[in-house]
Amino acid sequence: MPKDLRTFLRQVQEMLPDDYVRVEREVDPEFELTGVLRKLQDQNRFPAVLFENVKGTKLPVMGNLLGSRRRLALAFDSDDAGLTAEYVRRQERTLDPVMIDDAPVHDVVITGEDVNLNYIPNIVHCEGDAGPYISSGMCIAKDVETGVRNMGIYRIQIAGPRKLRYYPGEYSHMEHLRKKREERDEPLEVAIVIGHHPGVYMASQYRGPMGVDELAVAGGLLGEPLRMTKCKTIDVEVPADAEIVIEGHALPHVKELEGPFGEFTWYLGPAEMNPVIEVTAITHRRDAIYQDMFNAHPEHNITGLIGREAGLYRAVRNVVPALKALTLPFSGCCRHAVYISIKKLYDGVAKNCALAALAADPFLKLAIVVDEDIDVFDETQVMWAVATRVQADRDVFVIPDAYVCELDPSAYDVADRSKRGYLNAKWSIDATKPVGIPFQEKSDVPEAAWKHINLDDYIVTGPRRVIEELAARR
Ligand code: MN
């Protein structure tokens, strides 16, 4: 059985039964669906939620599937801490897709005048969003010169019965492909894939060079070649076991105001003049599940997290082989900050390590480097190292005017710092102990004296004795 959304949902139900819940009653796609997810978040709960009955559509909605690191780890047969290293191992052995003819995603094919985007759930997620958005669409397009595919997730606004607007960002591979076509006055054919195994979603977040086919990365991540099939109205191939595919043309020389939309920064990303897609087909599996992604909330951050961690892991390990672990913490939106632990063998290496990280990922603003005794997944420990191992005059450096990301609300324009732009200062904190000079030892009870203790042998339960009674016994 090829891996897909359904095989993963079964795996979740079996291995993490509390991670999968259902909503039977009808929900409004405007704020009520995300309202349920928000209420769960308020209780610190992040289960995958199947909304069986969504107003205005026949399709059920799977919400928040990628909203937990533990569930992603399950998709990679790993655990929280081992996930990034496992992802790196798998992404390094890519597997080319195999083509098939009778694809489940073509059970139902709607083309031409019959296409109406009202058919799919029109979900309005957050206050201030410019209407309904497809938040979980993996866009696939091909390079007109090389034929190499690219896959990435972009925010997609539903703007009419057959019209979409999307935000590729100025420097994405997808925008590069569109501009190449535009130079020839041609549209870019785009397929939007909704609903698949998390391995495919993670492949869309692969941080690698332009010439790498993210669908071959998906094969590596899944551990089996991805089954693909030809689209019905465009010359693009899509995963055959996806739930839903929308086919269309990104028009040359056409831009419209798109946005605002809640972003991974947890701020409302401003409106922009962005490309327009004319939809030519909707295809789906007979009993398709529409997968949604909760923008401006943890699922949004986690979806982009593992691919970025893996990219950084590789880049830093090339420079500092004694890399122990790294993570992009929630407090940094899983994008703007990284905590790196190393086995420090010589002085100065932590700064090289920070430079490697800051250079490798344009979204990254802050790199904090700690010793191997600090658990990077425990923010309290990281901040303890910052509090006790750092002198800011020597251990902090700042690189002004670097390119980061225009979605960071503090980013500025080169000509006018009060204006929005792409520039940011990058900075680093070296929170490692020196190697060449003595440093105080940590203070604690020796592990041999407490690790083995069974508290039931020591702590008395049962009726409480008053202080006077205890005194009388002495
Ligand atoms: Mn790419």
Side-chain angles (χ1 to χ4, degrees):
M1 178 107 60
K3 287 183 181 172
D4 61 10
L5 174 61
R6 295 146 193 234
T7 61
F8 181 64
L9 288 178
R10 272 195 291 278
Q11 201 184 356
V12 172
Q13 279 175 290
E14 253 168 55
M15 308 292 287
L16 303 168
D18 295 339
D19 270 36
Y20 179 89
V21 298
R22 296 181 307 116
V23 174
E24 283 181 359
R25 64 181 269 182
E26 187 182 72
V27 294
D28 194 316
E30 180 169 343
F31 302 141
E32 190 178 5
L33 190 149
T34 49
V36 171
L37 300 177
R38 182 64 184 81
K39 184 70 185 183
L40 284 161
Q41 180 182 337
D42 198 48
Q43 299 173 355
N44 205 28
R45 295 163 67 194
F46 299 91
V49 184
L50 183 68
F51 294 92
E52 296 181 352
N53 199 350
V54 179
K55 213 164 118 188
T57 177
K58 283 187 296 185
L59 304 177
V61 173
M62 183 78 245
N64 207 36
L65 181 66
L66 306 178
S68 134
R69 193 181 173 103
R70 186 173 63 158
R71 275 201 296 286
L72 285 188
L74 176 68
F76 288 89
D77 311 304
S78 182
D79 55 23
D80 268 18
L83 176 55
T84 302
E86 179 60 23
Y87 182 106
V88 170
R89 258 194 299 284
R90 291 188 186 202
Q91 81 171 2
E92 277 166 6
R93 41 147 216 251
T94 54
L95 286 174
D96 285 335
V98 292
M99 291 297 294
I100 67 158
D101 287 329
D102 292 319
V105 76
H106 289 152
D107 283 349
V108 178
V109 176
I110 307 165
T111 58
E113 296 289 300
D114 292 336
V115 173
N116 190 328
L117 290 164
N118 276 335
Y119 186 80
I120 63 168
N122 278 222
I123 301 172
V124 185
H125 298 80
C126 293
E127 190 174 5
D129 285 0
Y133 267 79
I134 300 168
S135 57
S136 63
M138 298 179 281
C139 300
I140 301 178
K142 290 203 280 198
D143 188 317
V144 63
E145 281 161 16
T146 65
V148 174
R149 281 179 294 250
N150 194 71
M151 175 166 70
I153 302 175
Y154 312 95
R155 70 189 204 198
I156 304 169
Q157 183 185 5
I158 299 174
R162 282 184 288 281
K163 183 160 100 173
L164 301 165
R165 304 182 186 120
Y166 73 108
Y167 178 20
E170 196 64 27
Y171 298 106
S172 68
H173 291 172
M174 189 61 77
E175 182 59 358
H176 184 70
L177 300 184
R178 196 193 63 81
K179 281 181 176 157
K180 269 191 178 178
R181 280 283 188 180
E182 195 169 57
E183 279 165 19
R184 303 167 181 228
D185 301 318
E186 291 168 0
L188 176 72
E189 295 178 321
V190 180
I192 300 164
V193 180
I194 301 166
H196 211 303
H197 190 278
V200 180
Y201 272 91
M202 293 302 103
S204 76
Q205 300 303 294
Y206 172 74
R207 314 308 285 182
M210 185 79 201
V212 175
D213 178 5
E214 277 88 4
L215 283 312
V217 174
L221 296 183
L222 294 171
E224 64 188 36
L226 189 66
R227 302 193 331 153
M228 303 267 290
T229 196
K230 282 199 166 309
C231 282
K232 292 294 183 184
T233 60
I234 55 176
D235 179 27
V236 174
E237 302 81 39
V238 285
D241 301 296
E243 295 295 319
I244 301 164
V245 167
I246 299 171
E247 305 176 5
H249 299 108
L251 306 174
H253 314 295
V254 178
K255 286 197 173 181
E256 293 183 2
L257 198 63
E258 176 279 325
F261 185 64
E263 279 294 347
F264 65 84
T265 54
W266 301 351
Y267 292 92
L268 202 54
E272 306 249 356
M273 292 302 283
N274 277 321
V276 171
I277 294 176
E278 206 172 68
V279 176
T280 55
I282 298 175
T283 79
H284 66 84
R285 292 173 74 146
R286 193 162 294 110
D287 44 1
I289 302 168
Y290 180 93
Q291 187 173 343
D292 186 56
M293 188 184 301
F294 194 8
N295 60 306
H297 289 81
E299 187 184 26
H300 193 164
N301 302 84
I302 291 175
T303 302
L305 171 65
I306 314 304
R308 288 189 161 81
E309 281 187 357
L312 279 169
Y313 194 94
R314 266 204 309 201
V316 175
R317 196 184 48 186
N318 285 346
V319 179
V320 185
L323 169 66
K324 190 188 166 210
L326 63 79
T327 192
L328 295 157
F330 257 109
S331 54
C333 310
C334 301
R335 302 286 193 282
H336 292 321
V338 66
Y339 301 159
I340 307 169
S341 63
I342 56 169
K343 183 177 169 63
K344 189 174 176 184
L345 299 173
Y346 43 93
D347 285 306
V349 68
K351 287 201 172 72
N352 296 48
C353 181
L355 284 166
L358 291 172
D361 191 329
F363 283 74
L364 200 57
K365 290 168 73 178
L366 168 64
I368 299 181
V369 186
V370 295
D371 293 297
E372 61 175 336
D373 64 327
I374 302 295
D375 177 4
V376 293
F377 295 99
D378 181 349
E379 193 155 64
T380 302
Q381 288 191 38
V382 173
M383 287 302 143
W384 174 72
V386 170
T388 61
R389 299 178 185 181
V390 173
Q391 287 304 324
D393 60 334
R394 302 186 60 152
D395 297 328
V396 172
F397 68 76
V398 178
I399 302 166
D401 300 338
Y403 168 74
V404 178
C405 164
E406 73 281 15
L407 284 172
D408 173 18
S410 71
Y412 59 90
D413 184 75
V414 66
D416 180 353
R417 279 195 78 123
S418 67
K419 272 209 214 133
R420 185 164 175 254
Y422 297 96
L423 295 181
N424 256 290
K426 287 183 181 247
W427 65 304
S428 158
I429 302 173
D430 175 357
T432 58
K433 296 179 288 184
V435 173
I437 50 174
F439 201 85
Q440 289 176 16
E441 297 292 328
K442 271 164 115 171
S443 166
D444 201 355
V445 179
E447 261 190 29
W450 66 267
K451 267 272 159 106
H452 67 279
I453 282 183
N454 180 0
L455 288 175
D456 292 339
D457 297 342
Y458 289 81
I459 308 296
V460 180
T461 53
R464 289 185 192 174
R465 297 183 185 283
V466 294
I467 299 292
E468 293 73 18
E469 227 181 303
L470 289 173
R473 283 172 58 196
R474 278 204 288 271

